[in-house]
Amino acid sequence: AFYGCTSLNSINVDKDNQLYSSEDGILFDKVKTKLITYPAGKKEKEYNIPSGVTSIGGWAFYGCTSLTRIEIPSSITSIGGWAFSGCTSLTSIEIPSSVTSIGFAAFGSCTNLTRIEIPSSVTRIGSSAFHSCTSLTRIEIQSSVTSIKIEGGAFAYCTSLTSIEIPSGVTSIGNAFYGCTSLNSINVDKDNQ
């Protein structure tokens, strides 16, 4: 609904609205368990998602170019498609161990993101999840992961990525690393079937 509204800095919802609510100009569902939209025009550098939020909706932070740091609470279980795509100032993000799913292009074109750690709770990394994260030099998938599907293009065009270690719990890798022109080393756990 607010795609491309790069000057929008606040969304305010009437307190009597039955479906939506807002806090500090950020749009949530009524009970504040789903973060729907963080306005792309907000100028804050950091944002802590409130505890109690369980999902980050698709496109929620799309194009929020001012944010350098976002704290995700341990209540979050899913990150929607395109959720952080185009957050070009984001340098690092910690995905808590409560997250089980990372959606399509969730961190696409986060061009200043340098490192990502995938916790063992994640069972699915969607297509193009980290597509064109051109500063990404390190991806760490926790070795205790029991089962994870890495979909096609998940790390495509991560041109600064030089090596990858794949633990035994990775069960499927599509064409996840195409266009990674600096990649020179892939280590697969010896117990991987």
Side-chain angles (χ1 to χ4, degrees), residues 43 58-59 71 88 98 117 148 175 185:
K43 298 300 179 198
W59 304 81
E71 186 173 318
T88 54
S98 54
E117 184 177 324
I148 190 170
N175 54 351
S185 169

Side-chain angles (χ1 to χ4, degrees), residues 56 70-77 79 93-102 117-122 142:
I56 299 169
I70 300 167
E71 186 173 318
I72 301 175
S74 59
S75 56
I76 298 287
T77 59
I79 298 172
I93 195 155
E94 186 174 325
I95 298 172
S97 59
S98 54
V99 172
T100 59
S101 174
I102 299 172
E117 184 177 324
I118 309 295
S120 59
S121 58
V122 173
Q142 288 184 351

Side-chain angles (χ1 to χ4, degrees), residues 165-180:
E165 292 194 23
I166 300 172
S168 61
V170 176
T171 58
S172 173
I173 300 174
N175 54 351
F177 301 99
Y178 71 81
C180 293

Side-chain angles (χ1 to χ4, degrees), residues 2 8-39 42 47 50 53:
F2 303 103
L8 182 67
N9 58 34
S10 184
I11 300 169
N12 298 301
V13 178
D14 188 291
K15 62 179 175 52
D16 294 326
N17 190 294
Q18 298 299 304
L19 300 174
Y20 301 101
S21 62
S22 61
E23 184 177 302
D24 298 324
I26 300 157
L27 182 64
F28 295 88
D29 65 344
K30 185 64 176 179
V31 293
K32 292 190 175 121
T33 57
K34 181 176 185 179
L35 191 152
I36 298 170
T37 303
Y38 183 99
K42 281 180 85 71
Y47 179 63
V53 174

Side-chain angles (χ1 to χ4, degrees), residues 40 61-70 84-92 107-114 131-135:
F61 290 88
Y62 183 86
C64 291
T65 57
S66 293
L67 287 169
T68 60
R69 185 183 154 282
I70 300 167
F84 298 98
S85 189
C87 290
T88 54
S89 296
L90 192 63
T91 56
S92 67
F107 294 91
S109 298
C110 289
T111 53
N112 277 307
L113 191 63
T114 58
H131 188 284
S132 299
C133 290
T134 53
S135 297

Side-chain angles (χ1 to χ4, degrees), residues 119-193:
S120 59
S121 58
V122 173
T123 57
R124 180 182 159 268
I125 299 174
S127 298
S128 303
F130 297 92
H131 188 284
S132 299
C133 290
T134 53
S135 297
L136 194 63
T137 57
R138 182 177 171 89
I139 301 164
E140 187 175 325
I141 300 173
Q142 288 184 351
S143 59
S144 58
V145 71
T146 55
S147 177
I148 190 170
K149 291 189 184 339
I150 300 174
E151 296 180 6
F155 299 97
Y157 298 106
C158 292
T159 54
S160 296
L161 192 61
T162 58
S163 66
I164 301 165
E165 292 194 23
I166 300 172
S168 61
V170 176
T171 58
S172 173
I173 300 174
N175 54 351
F177 301 99
Y178 71 81
C180 293
T181 53
S182 298
L183 189 60
N184 58 38
S185 169
I186 299 174
N187 296 314
V188 179
D189 189 291
K190 62 181 176 52
D191 295 326
N192 200 310
Q193 300 296 319

